Structures are given as structure tokens and as C-alpha cells.
Amino acid sequence: MKLFNKSENDDVEDRYYGLKKKFITGIAAFGGIICIVGAIDIIGLRSQKQNSAASYVGEAGHDSGAYETTAEPSNVVNDFGGWYYNQLTENEQESYAQLYEQLSANTNTTSDYSDKIIRAVQYDNPLLYESSPDCEEALQRIIVDTNNMIDTYSKIKYLYDEIVNEASFDNSSEGNISALLNGSSSSYGFAATFKYLCSKTGLNAIIVDGSYSGNQHFWNLVEVEDTWYAVDCSLGRINFDELTDTFFTGYDYFLVDDSIIFTTHTADYYDYGWKYPGCTNGFYEYYRTNNLRFSEFSNAADYIVEEIQNGNTFITMAFTDDISYNEALYEIEVARDSKFWAYISYKTSIEYTSRYYTHNDDTRRISLYITS
């Protein structure tokens, strides 16, 4: 793409915003016919997704809402217990204690215990089920690195980034901490590693056993300043189809609330009636915290220009609503040779040789990788 002279540049910018205005005006006119029906359909679809998550858990004995908000059970009770231990009956707690002691002494026979007891012990104490004795040593560096971190957010983000960088998500892989350290794990390995690292760095975290895209799936809840947030490390990588050996860290499910996590996730896979704290505050959601969730595409375009001018080739952002998100998709995806890209080239004075994009409709996130 050739660079424009000044008069041509002014024309490109005017034509870009003129085209955008005409495009939006056309959409608005057309939308006058279908906006009511479309809005109802969109809202209804999102409502159905969230309600399906809530009813799935509700059928397991919960009150309304995807998680049941409870002050109890406590996350820390004794040397061997935890979140799941406190939800067991007295007889089940006795079995839990026996299994814990046997696992600690490497003398367990798990066939003597129900699946519910085995899972309760495992989710509270993931390291007990690791076959490799090197897990603790391998993770010690990460634990030590958090010693000088004062605020909880920075500590959690560091743990998340390290785990995402450590392994790729593969649902066919074995799921445990050892598998994750070997570079590939199912979702349980990610959730177990995050839970273990949190417990070693003074953070309260829970493993959640649920489903994602129709498959059994694990993620975490973590407490920040007396408020719970959802974290899914296994979905933390952003990949571009054209770049098979390249990934970037994404934050679609990092410290999010129920309205985001339950668009795609459901809890309590085995219907054991597990109770979880509600995630009702989106204050630390990544795109919100970093001012990267836009309500207008024009602001996102300015952000893209700023990032390119700062030398960044990977750019990620999210949008507050379907209208701004779909407009961004149109400009970036459908009209790849539109005036928008000419405008970006003009503003940055860079001729691009390659540009890639990927997006997540559920979280309204768009990511770009641009090279010159």
C-alpha cells in the first residue's frame, strides 16, 4: 500500500468516517424494520444461555443463580479439609479424612470410597493425586516470585500468566499438574495447578467441576478482597489460525463475574449438589480494569493506532455491546480492504504486509496481529 500525500490523507480520513457514517446510518434505517424483533432475539438468546447454566445448577439443589452465594462452607477448616469437605455429611467427612490419610501415606485404595468422596479430596488437595514427586519443586520458582508482590490482583495475574505460558489446552491429554508441566493438559491440570499455587501464596481458590462446550471442564474461583471471581486458565491462549506456532495470552475468563463465565460454562457436572460462592462483581475483569472494553468502534480504532505507534504487533480489545462489536467485526473482518485499513495505514505511516485477526463472540473480544 502506497503512502498518501497530505491532501490524499485528508481525503482518506474524511472518506473513512463518511463511509462509516453511511454504513451506520444504513444499518439504523434497516434496523428500523427489524430492531425490535432482533433485539428480542439477541436478548432472548443471551438470556437462554445464562438461564441454562442457572437451571443446570438449580436442578442440583441450588437457589436461583448460576452459583449459590453462601458465607459457608469456609474455604479453610483444618489440615486436610477445604471447600468440598465442609459440604459433606458427618459420615462422608469421616471417609474423606480416612482417604486423605491413606493418600498422604501412599497406602490408599480409592475403590473403597465413593466417587463423590474421591473428588472432594482431590479438588481440595490436588497435589495428593500427583504421581510425580517433582511437581512442588518445579512450581517453587513461581511461588518464590510472588513473595514481593503486595496486591492480590498482581499476584493472581502473575500465576495466571505463568500457567497459560506453561502449557496448551488439549482435552484429550491427561489432566493433572504433571501433564501441565510437560506442556499439554486437559482443563483439570490448569485448574489444579492454579488451586495449588494459590494455596501456596496465601490466596483462597476453589476448583469448579462443570462443563464447557458440552464437555466436562474445570476452572477456578478465587477470592479478591472478600469478593469471588471466576478464572479459567485453560482458555487463556489466543491463537491465530494462520500462525500455528504463535500464541498470545488472553484474558477472556480472567477474574470475571457470573454474567461472563456462565455464557459458556455450567457448574456441578456430576449433580452432587456442590455449592459455590456467587461471582457478582466484575470490577477486576481484565478489559474493564485496563480500559480495553469499548462502547464505540471509533475509540477502538484510535486505540489500535496508538498501539501500533508504540510498536505493538499484538492488539486485543473487547466491546460492551453487540452493536459496537459487530461494527468492529465488519470493519476488521468483512471489509479487510476497507477505508478503515487505509485510515490505519495513514495514521501510523506504516505499510502492512500481514494482518491477522481472531475473535470470541461470547466475550465480544477481538484480537489483531499486524506486521509491516
Side-chain angles (χ1 to χ4, degrees):
M1 180 182 296
K2 295 183 179 179
L3 298 180
F4 301 99
N5 60 38
K6 177 153 177 44
S7 61
E8 290 173 326
N9 288 341
D10 293 339
D11 183 56
V12 166
E13 187 166 6
D14 291 340
R15 280 185 290 136
Y16 165 67
Y17 283 109
L19 176 65
K20 178 181 171 184
K21 182 176 180 181
K22 290 179 181 179
F23 171 73
I24 296 174
T25 302
I27 291 294
F30 182 71
I33 302 174
I34 63 170
C35 64
I36 297 177
V37 176
I40 292 174
D41 287 343
I42 292 173
I43 294 171
L45 177 60
R46 290 189 177 276
S47 177
Q48 288 173 11
K49 286 183 178 179
Q50 293 175 3
N51 288 341
S52 66
S55 62
Y56 180 93
V57 180
E59 291 168 0
H62 291 39
D63 294 334
S64 60
Y67 295 125
E68 181 177 4
T69 304
T70 57
E72 296 293 337
S74 170
N75 195 36
V76 180
V77 289
N78 50 41
D79 289 340
F80 59 80
W83 188 269
Y84 288 93
Y85 171 86
N86 269 332
Q87 299 185 61
L88 301 175
T89 66
E90 185 175 346
N91 289 337
E92 288 173 333
Q93 287 180 347
E94 291 179 1
S95 297
Y96 179 115
Q98 292 172 1
L99 177 57
Y100 178 90
E101 292 173 0
Q102 291 173 352
L103 286 169
S104 299
N106 294 317
T107 59
N108 69 297
T109 305
T110 55
S111 59
D112 295 338
Y113 300 92
S114 69
D115 181 72
K116 182 180 181 181
I117 299 300
I118 294 171
R119 292 184 180 279
V121 174
Q122 181 178 8
Y123 299 164
D124 282 340
N125 313 276
L127 202 65
L128 287 177
Y129 283 82
E130 291 297 324
S131 58
S132 172
D134 300 327
C135 288
E136 287 185 272
E137 182 178 350
L139 295 172
Q140 188 61 32
R141 174 191 61 81
I142 299 175
I143 296 170
V144 171
D145 286 347
T146 65
N147 288 342
N148 296 324
M149 296 181 184
I150 299 175
D151 67 288
T152 302
Y153 177 87
S154 296
K155 187 180 295 186
I156 294 173
K157 185 176 181 299
Y158 177 76
L159 298 181
Y160 175 91
D161 289 343
E162 288 294 308
I163 292 171
V164 171
N165 187 61
E166 192 71 35
S168 61
F169 170 51
D170 184 351
N171 222 26
S172 63
S173 296
E174 185 177 359
N176 53 36
I177 298 175
S178 300
L180 182 134
L181 293 174
N182 287 327
S184 178
S185 174
S186 66
S187 60
Y188 178 77
F190 287 88
T193 304
F194 185 80
K195 157 71 175 173
Y196 170 76
L197 288 173
C198 284
S199 68
K200 290 295 183 180
T201 54
L203 300 170
N204 283 339
I206 305 166
I207 294 175
V208 180
D209 183 354
S211 62
Y212 168 78
S213 296
N215 299 313
Q216 185 177 18
H217 192 83
F218 297 86
W219 68 97
N220 299 96
L221 303 182
V222 63
E223 191 175 20
V224 184
E225 300 173 355
D226 300 321
T227 301
W228 289 91
Y229 296 85
V231 174
D232 191 341
C233 299
S234 68
L235 301 179
R237 288 192 175 188
I238 294 177
N239 298 285
F240 295 86
D241 291 339
E242 301 91 340
L243 306 173
T244 56
D245 297 326
T246 303
F247 76 88
F248 299 89
T249 302
Y251 301 94
D252 288 1
Y253 302 104
F254 175 71
L255 296 180
V256 298
D257 61 18
D258 289 347
S259 67
I260 294 179
I261 196 70
F262 279 106
T263 302
T264 51
H265 295 56
T266 59
D268 198 6
Y269 184 81
Y270 290 100
D271 279 350
Y272 286 139
W274 301 124
K275 297 179 180 180
Y276 302 100
C279 301
T280 59
N281 189 328
F283 181 78
Y284 284 112
E285 188 259 329
Y286 178 82
Y287 297 103
R288 173 180 173 177
T289 300
N290 291 278
N291 296 318
L292 296 178
R293 190 172 287 279
F294 299 99
S295 59
E296 295 183 8
F297 176 63
S298 59
N299 293 332
D302 291 337
Y303 166 68
I304 294 171
V305 169
E306 181 181 353
E307 287 295 288
I308 294 173
Q309 290 174 337
N310 290 334
N312 296 321
T313 56
F314 173 70
I315 304 167
T316 189
M317 71 209 80
F319 294 85
T320 59
D321 56 79
D322 288 335
I323 294 176
S324 57
Y325 172 69
N326 288 329
E327 180 188 354
L329 278 183
Y330 173 81
E331 293 288 356
I332 294 171
E333 177 181 10
V334 178
R336 293 193 62 168
D337 295 319
S338 70
K339 299 299 184 291
F340 163 71
W341 286 108
Y343 169 74
I344 295 295
S345 182
Y346 149 57
K347 295 292 287 187
T348 59
S349 300
I350 296 175
E351 185 175 354
Y352 304 107
T353 57
S354 300
R355 54 181 188 258
Y356 310 98
Y357 75 94
T358 184
H359 58 93
N360 184 337
D361 292 338
D362 295 311
T363 60
R364 302 192 192 97
R365 187 263 305 156
I366 299 176
S367 299
L368 302 173
Y369 182 66
I370 304 173
T371 59
S372 58

